[in-house]
Amino acid sequence: MRTLVTRATSRRRSPLWRPLILSLLFFILPVATTAQRRERLIDTWKPLHYNVTLRLDNQLTEIVSATTMIRAAILKRNVRTIDLDFGELTIDSIKVNNAPAQFDRAPNRLNVRLNQVAKPGKQISITIAYHGKPKDGLILTTDRDGKPSATGDNWPDRVHHWIPCLDHPAAKATVAFSITAPSRDLVVANGAFAGFRGNFGGTTTWSFNESRPIPPYCMVIVVNEGAKLDVPGLLTPLSYYVPQVDKPYALKGFSPAPPALAYFSQLVGPYPYEKLALIVAATRFGGMENSSAIVFSSNLLVPSPSARVSGKFGIPQGTVDVVAHEIAHQWFGDSVTESTWSDIWLSEGFATYFAGLFLQHFEGEAEFQTYMKQAAETVFAYERKTHAPLYDSETEDLFKLLNGNSYQKGAWVLHMLRARLGDEAFFRGVRAYYKTHRDGTAGSEDLRAALEKASGRNLKEFFARWIYGSGHPVYEFGWSSAEFSAAGSNLVVELKQTQRDHAFLDPVTIEVTSGGSKSRFVIQPTGKRTVKSFPLKQPLTAVTLDPDGVLLKEVVLLNKAQLSPPAYRVQALACQ
């Protein structure tokens, strides 16, 4: 995928570990003192379940009537008001526990006053009846066939324009939809299909029930006159919803979906939802990972003669990437959701990297290396313009978090962790992270804890530099060696880091080719300049930095004349 401004009415309380981490960074990294982004708090109440009933008009241009019932739990203290996020639709009535309730409105806010104080541990129900044309969130337009359509498109906090809610990703809840639309239309929503019934007047009511708690931005419906194609023989029900014009190509166009579903289920854990629907409809993104009901852009299946074609699937490579990316989100972002917007890389970085793993598995190592190289170039281009940590707690406009940091750098951080820990420990840690936080939320420190437990390695320094710090290493790399003799020789390697940020202390592998054989050495930087000497038993042929390409880096190769004098002194001593 894809994100809006966080709520500025209250400041998020940091978990106990975060002040410790941030205070540590003041000693490790140069930290700028800038304003922290303020987010919607989930401290007095939280939603448990939404029951959303909508009736659309004949041309899908407005909501004729709607009722949303919210079952909510009261948390830490007595509550007199439930502060809902809600847009500009007309309110017809509000009830609390089936009794009429008073309310007041502010921009994007609906404050419902309770008839009596609700105490911690108590559950209440709020029912809001309303109607109108949503300003955003529910997109009422036409599809590729020119027919009316209605599509939920909520990320990051746009769902409140058509569903009253607590519009923050950590406010996860189950949801049931009852959608009445013209009988000519197909309807799909999150969760299991619970049936439909015909009504007097040429309408049909469709019901769906999502039994797993999902983030509010993933709560969607899609209504149009499109075609539905079911994929047989799978453990998870898989269907494609496309405009009629795309029907002949849909099975081919979505051909990466069944193997992606199977691969991620094996790699991470069982698919977390009741079904998977892949939908071509209206979204401002290339794909939007709504839980069990992914929406792709309306031009996804439009032929593109100039596109690079996948050797495995015979469709544009970009389509393979985006289908795998959005399916990976079902595990990372949907089932395990970021605790705060600062942790969005746990959604986008995971989906980006796991799409790469899908390519590595099905299309080969060369395609994966191309994918990761392109990701690195995106990071470098982004960081030339913007200097921000991966854990970004300052950017107010959430759409600006959809950047080379959250996606491609997040993917590279996972790739480097995989290389450092090894496949066995890395994937064991990822599976444990997913299992622990499934249907809930997680932050960067939760991932660190899972990987440390799985590997027995301390990753505090790695996270301090790569997650909470900024930038990437820019290496100046050079070497020299004395003339080879019967006694052998020595190779002297100089590695400088010239980036404006702190030094990155990741071990760097050097591959040396001499006399037709290859050997590897590891340089462990302790600062921005490291000089090491290695023995040579045969004449030197080549020296390669990071031969497996497992570090996010830029490299400038130096010739002998550019090496610093201390390198020669080390060489001279080593050759005596």
Side-chain angles (χ1 to χ4, degrees):
M1 197 207 43
R2 10 130 282 264
T3 162
L4 195 75
V5 179
T6 47
R7 184 59 66 84
T9 56
S10 50
R11 187 173 298 274
R12 170 167 287 280
R13 295 173 180 167
S14 297
L16 293 176
W17 54 262
R18 190 162 294 143
L20 298 177
I21 292 293
L22 295 179
S23 63
L24 172 66
L25 296 182
F26 278 101
F27 294 96
I28 298 180
L29 310 176
V31 178
T33 55
T34 54
Q36 297 292 300
R37 178 179 54 251
R38 291 174 291 179
E39 297 194 9
R40 184 74 156 96
L41 285 173
I42 306 170
D43 61 345
T44 57
W45 69 276
K46 68 176 181 180
L48 300 175
H49 177 74
Y50 294 90
N51 197 327
V52 182
T53 301
L54 296 177
R55 182 163 66 92
L56 298 165
D57 70 338
N58 186 62
Q59 293 301 308
L60 307 185
T61 60
E62 66 176 342
I63 298 172
V64 176
S65 62
T67 302
T68 293
M69 187 282 292
I70 306 163
R71 181 159 50 85
I74 307 303
L75 300 178
K76 298 179 181 178
R77 58 178 182 268
N78 292 346
V79 172
R80 299 194 65 93
T81 299
I82 298 295
D83 52 336
L84 290 162
D85 299 297
F86 193 45
E88 300 174 0
L89 296 180
T90 301
I91 294 176
D92 299 311
S93 67
I94 295 181
K95 294 182 178 180
V96 175
N97 295 335
N98 294 318
Q102 299 296 314
F103 64 91
D104 61 73
R105 304 186 75 169
N108 292 309
R109 180 64 65 91
L110 171 61
N111 296 308
V112 179
R113 292 193 288 276
L114 305 184
N115 297 323
Q116 58 184 17
V117 173
K119 297 181 179 181
K122 183 178 178 61
Q123 292 188 15
I124 61 172
S125 69
I126 307 102
T127 304
I128 303 101
Y130 53 98
H131 69 275
K133 183 173 182 177
K135 181 180 179 180
D136 201 353
L138 185 65
I139 310 304
L140 306 174
T141 183
T142 56
D143 62 12
R144 283 229 305 139
D145 295 319
K147 300 299 181 70
S149 71
T151 307
D153 190 46
N154 302 318
W155 199 94
D157 55 358
R158 294 152 55 215
V159 67
H160 70 272
H161 290 291
W162 62 288
I163 300 176
C165 62
L166 202 168
D167 205 350
H168 186 278
K172 301 178 72 171
T174 56
V175 60
F177 282 104
S178 178
I179 309 301
T180 300
S183 295
R184 66 175 186 261
D185 291 322
L186 282 174
V187 177
V188 63
N190 309 101
F193 174 57
F196 65 88
R197 69 174 189 274
N199 306 311
F200 178 78
T203 65
T204 300
T205 299
W206 302 70
S207 298
F208 295 84
N209 183 27
E210 178 50 71
S211 63
R212 298 286 188 177
I214 62 176
Y217 64 67
C218 284
M219 298 178 181
V220 298
I221 65 168
V222 179
V223 183
N224 56 43
E225 293 184 54
K228 180 190 180 200
L229 297 90
D230 296 320
V231 181
L234 300 180
L235 183 63
T236 297
L238 175 63
S239 302
Y240 308 146
Y241 292 78
V242 300
Q244 295 290 344
V245 68
D246 290 332
K247 182 178 178 181
Y249 183 65
L251 290 176
K252 177 74 170 178
F254 281 127
S255 57
L261 194 56
Y263 178 62
F264 296 141
S265 295
Q266 179 184 19
L267 193 62
V268 183
Y271 177 72
Y273 301 111
E274 298 89 347
K275 63 118 187 329
L276 179 58
L278 304 187
I279 307 159
V280 173
T283 174
R284 66 175 61 185
F285 312 108
M288 178 57 216
E289 67 270 17
N290 316 297
S291 310
S292 78
I294 299 170
V295 176
F296 295 92
S297 65
S298 59
N299 63 356
L300 179 78
L301 301 179
V302 175
S304 179
S306 62
R308 188 167 68 91
V309 175
S310 162
K312 171 69 174 179
F313 298 102
I315 63 175
Q317 191 64 57
T319 303
V320 178
D321 297 352
V322 73
V323 168
H325 179 106
E326 303 305 331
I327 292 177
H329 264 309
Q330 302 298 295
W331 286 264
F332 302 109
D334 292 5
S335 184
V336 179
T337 305
E338 61 273 16
S339 299
T340 73
W341 289 118
S342 301
D343 287 305
I344 189 175
W345 79 275
L346 294 174
S347 175
E348 298 303 343
F350 262 95
T352 302
Y353 188 56
F354 273 69
L357 294 177
F358 178 80
L359 298 181
Q360 186 178 38
H361 185 79
F362 287 95
E363 304 211 36
E365 186 65 25
E367 187 63 44
F368 174 68
Q369 291 298 332
T370 297
Y371 179 86
M372 294 305 293
K373 182 178 180 181
Q374 291 172 344
E377 293 300 327
T378 300
V379 176
F380 303 153
Y382 174 76
E383 290 189 343
R384 281 191 286 270
K385 297 179 180 179
T386 306
H387 201 70
L390 193 59
Y391 182 89
D392 184 347
S393 61
E394 298 169 7
T395 298
E396 286 286 346
D397 184 348
L398 298 183
F399 278 103
K400 292 183 179 179
L401 293 176
L402 303 182
N403 56 45
N405 254 8
S406 301
Y407 288 73
Q408 287 82 8
K409 188 173 184 180
W412 262 100
V413 163
L414 293 171
H415 189 50
M416 290 187 290
L417 285 165
R418 177 188 173 193
R420 176 173 290 202
L421 304 180
D423 279 12
E424 197 278 332
F426 173 76
F427 287 110
R428 184 169 70 248
V430 167
R431 284 189 287 270
Y433 164 78
Y434 171 73
K435 183 177 180 180
T436 299
H437 302 285
R438 176 178 173 173
D439 295 331
T441 63
S444 297
E445 290 300 295
D446 295 311
L447 177 63
R448 180 167 76 90
L451 294 176
E452 287 184 338
K453 183 176 181 179
S455 66
R457 305 277 292 276
N458 187 328
L459 297 173
K460 181 181 292 185
E461 184 178 78
F462 180 94
F463 271 61
R465 282 168 168 77
W466 284 105
I467 309 299
Y468 305 111
S470 304
H472 61 274
V474 180
Y475 294 122
E476 286 188 353
F477 176 56
W479 65 90
S480 64
S481 63
E483 184 176 348
F484 192 80
S485 68
S489 181
N490 278 75
L491 170 69
V492 177
V493 172
E494 180 179 18
L495 189 66
K496 289 183 180 180
Q497 297 183 35
T498 63
Q499 70 277 359
R500 77 186 224 186
D501 302 285
H502 50 277
F504 288 82
L505 305 184
D506 305 270
V508 181
T509 299
I510 306 293
E511 184 174 84
V512 177
T513 304
S514 58
S517 63
K518 297 180 183 294
S519 57
R520 292 190 173 191
F521 306 95
V522 176
I523 296 175
Q524 181 61 67
T526 56
K528 282 200 168 183
R529 180 173 180 269
T530 305
V531 178
K532 291 292 183 180
S533 176
F534 305 104
L536 292 176
K537 296 182 179 180
Q538 300 184 63
L540 179 68
T541 304
V543 180
T544 304
L545 178 75
D546 186 27
D548 298 322
V550 296
L551 292 175
L552 178 62
K553 66 192 181 303
E554 293 182 273
V555 180
V556 177
L557 296 178
L558 304 178
N559 59 41
K560 184 174 181 179
Q562 292 174 301
L563 292 173
S564 302
Y568 293 105
R569 287 199 292 272
V570 171
Q571 179 188 8
L573 290 171
C575 294
Q576 287 177 352

